Amino acid sequence: MKIDDWLLAILACPACHAPLREDDPASELVCTNPECGLAYPVRDDIPVLLVDEARRPGQPKASEPEGAGG
């Protein structure tokens, strides 16, 4: 995942307007607000900042099956 620092500095969570941080292993931008915590996917180095596309904390990624992990 490759997001320019200047772009990351101006991006904000669409749900709560908190700053976002990169999660490279998951290819996501994660909200820094602990009460929100939404994780937005990054596809082909393009952040998808849609609340409907975001993963809630504790939910598996869309690409993972429900039972993956055990």
Side-chain angles (χ1 to χ4, degrees):
M1 180 170 75
K2 187 177 180 180
I3 304 291
D4 291 332
D5 291 335
W6 65 268
L7 180 58
L8 191 59
I10 61 173
L11 291 178
C13 175
C16 72
H17 308 291
L20 298 170
R21 66 171 175 80
E22 288 182 286
D23 183 354
D24 279 328
S27 292
E28 295 176 329
L29 293 178
V30 181
C31 179
T32 58
N33 179 353
E35 294 177 10
C36 178
L38 290 174
Y40 298 92
V42 177
R43 297 183 186 125
D44 298 322
D45 294 331
I46 301 169
V48 181
L49 298 179
L50 300 171
V51 175
D52 291 344
E53 294 283 326
R55 180 178 59 82
R56 298 242 172 242
Q59 283 183 333
K61 288 179 62 174
S63 61
E64 295 176 2
E66 285 291 321

